Amino acid sequence: MPLMKSWVESANAPNHPFPLNNLPYGVFSTEGTDPRPGVAIGDMILDMEAAEAEGVVTLSEYPLFDVPFWNEVMEEGPAVWAALRARLTSLLAEGSAERDRVEPLLVPMADADLHMPFAVSEYTDFYAGRHHATNVGTMFRGAENALPPNWLHIPIGYNGRASSVVVSGTDIRRPWGQLKSPDHDLPAFLPSRRFDIELEMGAIVGMHSDGPVTVQEADTMIFGYVLLNDWSARDIQAWEYQPLGPFQAKATATSISPWIVTKAALEPFRVNAPEREFELLDHLKDVGPMLYDIKLAVDMAPEGKAATTIARTNYAQLYYSAAQQLAHHSSSGCPMSVGDLLGSGTISGPTKPERGSLLELSWGGKEPLTLDTGEQRSFIEDGDTLTLKGFAEGDGYRIGFGDCTGTVLPALDDPYKR
């Protein structure tokens, strides 16, 4: 599909993340106003609360855009999702007869603050990248036991904390936790010394389910996608994860990008999953191309200094798609809710420059990275800013997500001081 031209000229630039082909959904505010839903088009935001109030967009007999999140729209289901996208495309397309009605409803993105685009109901993070799982397993168990026996048969995951999901631009405080040094017999309560990022994508569930769903049904339930950074305290994780897996090491924060890129915008970029060693059971089998060709990158910037791109990879490197993760999650009868967030797990490729975490890039701290500034990093230092970037590339256009950024602040002097 080629670039769809808009009368918003900035949307027609070939490298702009928000062309008419995209139309991602976010929540914004301007000085003196409350947060409200908006749609990105070029360097502008269409104020959806105002568009609904003016009768430019009418999807329901009751308001959908008078709240600071997109969950109300999600709950209307796929037919309304499609109708909204068609209406927005008509309003913003080059030659639109309704330009005069719409233009006063646009807000410069430069004047806006961005907020959480949806209310997170529950959050589950998976471990669906084979290269990441193999790298981590090799470090801790050796190459011959890198993947646990179940890994090639089911998507592995854990239930995270919805309360700690934050929007891009939110500062991240270095966590304290119980950790054990190999030099000491007993653990100590200290600030994490091996704080890390995980380059992931998040899938947003837009429909409720009461029982098991098929992979095809799960794919229909997904409203859209965001970039996701699962901040991870590796030293806390190493001490706590046996026998029940990650807990406090992953509870500090999870950052997401500010714009929801709809599944509809990503349809032209579907690709097949990697070749499988074992045939998946029927309830998890691929039902066509389930992944997307989305280029991903990680930038690292020491405080006050220029950023270095430390990794580049692709969403297509995942072994299990979001639809398969969702289908597996529901297979026990677990209800899924509108606003559930599913993290993909770290996305890494087969070579060192494609590794999506510092744990892998520095090989557990044994091979420090040298940044363009000349500084070295094994893990994140205070003041470092980490930025995830991602886009799918079409014929003369890009589908972007907006950056997913967080700056790490020093740990509190004493977290229990009252």
Side-chain angles (χ1 to χ4, degrees):
M1 178 184 294
L3 170 70
M4 299 166 60
K5 287 197 172 183
S6 170
W7 52 262
V8 180
E9 286 300 327
S10 58
N12 300 326
N15 294 330
H16 201 290
F18 307 132
L20 187 60
N21 302 63
N22 192 349
L23 299 176
Y25 303 150
V27 170
F28 77 103
S29 63
T30 52
E31 187 175 0
T33 68
D34 293 328
R36 55 203 185 275
V39 176
I41 178 69
D43 57 10
M44 307 295 285
I45 300 173
L46 175 59
D47 185 333
M48 293 303 297
E49 183 181 45
E52 185 175 59
E54 294 291 327
V56 175
V57 175
T58 303
L59 299 173
S60 170
E61 61 186 21
Y62 47 86
L64 297 178
F65 298 105
D66 60 345
V67 289
F69 42 74
W70 280 81
N71 299 56
E72 299 288 323
V73 174
M74 293 186 216
E75 289 179 352
E76 293 297 308
V80 170
W81 306 348
L84 173 59
R85 183 171 176 83
R87 178 60 175 156
L88 292 170
T89 301
S90 173
L91 292 172
L92 295 165
E94 185 177 60
S96 172
E98 298 181 86
R99 174 175 176 171
D100 289 345
R101 295 183 71 196
V102 177
E103 198 158 13
L105 308 177
L106 295 178
V107 175
M109 198 170 291
D111 297 340
D113 292 319
L114 301 179
H115 306 273
M116 278 290 295
F118 69 106
V120 181
S121 297
E122 297 189 58
Y123 167 50
T124 304
D125 198 34
F126 285 88
Y127 189 50
R130 181 171 184 173
H131 297 294
H132 172 70
T134 299
N135 288 336
V136 173
T138 298
M139 272 185 263
F140 295 108
R141 294 185 297 274
E144 65 282 359
N145 296 309
L147 292 179
N150 59 357
W151 199 93
L152 294 171
H153 299 275
I154 56 172
I156 306 298
Y158 70 92
N159 287 312
R161 291 290 300 171
S163 63
S164 61
V165 179
V166 297
V167 74
S168 173
T170 304
D171 291 337
I172 308 299
R173 180 74 66 177
R174 181 180 297 274
W176 285 70
Q178 188 176 120
L179 49 95
K180 186 177 182 298
S181 167
D183 303 326
H184 298 89
D185 292 333
L186 296 175
F189 188 68
L190 297 167
S192 173
R193 300 163 180 171
R194 293 162 70 91
F195 201 41
D196 197 2
I197 55 105
E198 294 196 350
L199 170 60
E200 304 190 23
M201 296 283 296
I204 301 163
V205 178
M207 297 172 64
H208 178 79
S209 69
D210 289 319
V213 299
T214 66
V215 172
Q216 189 64 65
E217 289 168 338
D219 188 58
T220 301
M221 291 169 63
I222 294 172
F223 182 67
Y225 293 82
V226 290
L227 301 177
L228 185 149
N229 181 355
D230 180 29
W231 301 89
S232 301
R234 300 300 186 185
D235 40 8
I236 298 172
Q237 183 177 354
W239 175 239
E240 74 176 4
Y241 84 102
Q242 296 185 21
L244 296 180
F247 183 42
Q248 290 300 90
K250 304 280 192 172
T252 300
T254 299
S255 299
I256 64 169
S257 51
W259 297 102
I260 302 170
V261 175
T262 63
K263 185 180 62 176
L266 293 171
E267 283 301 312
F269 306 99
R270 284 190 182 261
V271 293
N272 290 314
E275 186 176 349
R276 304 195 183 281
E277 289 184 28
F278 300 98
E279 186 175 3
L280 297 176
L281 296 182
D282 287 346
H283 72 290
L284 289 176
K285 281 184 179 178
D286 300 288
V287 291
M290 304 302 294
L291 297 174
Y292 300 101
D293 179 8
I294 301 172
K295 297 175 174 65
L296 301 167
V298 181
D299 287 356
M300 184 178 216
E303 187 172 7
K305 298 182 180 177
T308 300
T309 298
I310 60 174
R312 295 183 189 276
T313 187
N314 195 295
Y315 180 76
Q317 294 288 353
L318 285 179
Y319 195 78
Y320 297 102
S321 68
Q324 287 165 318
Q325 293 166 20
L326 177 53
H328 177 62
H329 206 332
S330 74
S331 62
S332 64
C334 170
M336 304 304 296
S337 300
V338 172
D340 282 352
L341 175 63
L342 307 181
S344 64
T346 304
I347 305 169
S348 296
T351 66
K352 185 172 183 178
E354 298 174 86
R355 296 173 183 171
S357 68
L358 286 162
L359 177 67
E360 297 168 86
L361 287 164
S362 72
W363 206 249
K366 296 176 181 178
E367 302 171 9
L369 304 176
T370 300
L371 306 180
D372 292 346
T373 60
E375 297 168 79
Q376 289 195 323
R377 290 288 188 276
S378 293
F379 293 95
I380 301 169
E381 295 189 6
D382 293 345
D384 288 347
T385 297
L386 281 299
T387 301
L388 311 187
K389 298 173 180 283
F391 63 88
E393 194 151 30
D395 181 9
Y397 69 96
R398 287 181 174 180
I399 301 293
F401 292 79
D403 292 349
C404 180
T405 297
T407 299
V408 174
L409 304 180
L412 295 170
D413 290 337
D414 181 351
Y416 292 108
K417 185 177 181 179
R418 298 290 187 265

